[in-house]
């Protein structure tokens, strides 16, 4: 059983715990993540939905039509606006956690950049990581 990781929004009304390891971070440079995060990219980790428990509050949903055309449900704190996670409507068993909402840095590494076609020119990208112009390839 891995150590439980905790996180939450800026105002503290949303709190959650994750019982799965969070190791690999994916930076998404799509224009929707830029708007939703107010930053050059969003930093995400894909975890099983069953591993995440909300211990306080209930995130509010914005159903976004992603650049891919798929519905991406984006969840955020209704009180302070912090993005908490997103989830593909077609893939409810996985959840894309916004790793900036985790309480403490863990043993995490940024391994991949996606949607680099729309990356802001001032965003540094480590050449040692994987880069994809659009979405990451689906692994079998
Ligand atoms: Zn909040
Ligand atoms: Zn994105």
């Amino acid at each position: 059983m891995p150590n439980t990781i905790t996180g939450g929004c800026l105002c503290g009304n949303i709190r959650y715990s994750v019982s799965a390891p969070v190791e690999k971070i994916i930076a998404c440079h799509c224009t929707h993540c830029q708007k939703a995060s107010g930053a050059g990219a969003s930093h995400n980790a894909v975890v099983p939905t069953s591993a995440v428990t909300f211990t306080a509050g209930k995130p509010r949903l914005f159903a976004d039509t992603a650049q891919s055309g798929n519905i991406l449900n984006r969840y955020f704190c209704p009180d302070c606006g912090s993005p908490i996670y997103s989830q593909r409507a077609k893939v409810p068993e996985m959840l894309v956690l916004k790793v900036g909402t985790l309480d403490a840095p863990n043993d995490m590494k940024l391994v991949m950049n996606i949607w680099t076609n729309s990356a802001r020119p001032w965003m540094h990208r480590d050449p040692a990581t994987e880069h994809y112009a659009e979405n990451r390839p689906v692994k079998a």
Side-chain angles (χ1 to χ4, degrees), residues 6-129:
T6 57
C9 67
L10 178 60
C11 77
N13 286 353
I14 307 269
R15 295 291 305 159
Y16 65 83
S17 63
V18 186
S19 61
V22 179
E23 291 159 353
K24 293 178 181 172
I25 297 172
I26 301 170
C28 182
H29 301 264
C30 83
T31 58
H32 291 213
C33 280
Q34 289 168 354
K35 294 281 187 190
S37 66
S42 70
H43 292 91
N44 307 297
V46 181
V47 295
T49 302
S50 60
V52 180
T53 306
F54 282 89
T55 51
K58 190 178 186 298
R60 187 165 155 194
L61 165 65
F62 171 63
D64 185 21
T65 303
Q67 275 178 250
S68 60
N70 292 321
I71 298 294
L72 184 72
N73 290 324
R74 292 179 178 271
Y75 292 88
F76 60 96
C77 173
D79 296 307
C80 70
S82 300
I84 308 293
Y85 72 99
S86 61
Q87 196 170 45
R88 289 188 193 185
K90 285 183 194 162
V91 193
E93 65 274 20
M94 300 305 280
L95 174 157
V96 182
L97 195 62
K98 306 292 175 186
V99 294
T101 64
L102 293 169
D103 292 332
N106 227 275
D107 270 340
M108 297 175 200
K109 198 171 177 354
L110 199 155
V111 296
M112 189 188 294
N113 290 271
I114 60 172
W115 293 98
T116 59
N117 269 351
S118 53
R120 304 274 167 150
W122 40 261
M123 274 293 287
H124 172 74
R125 280 182 278 135
D126 183 349
T129 61

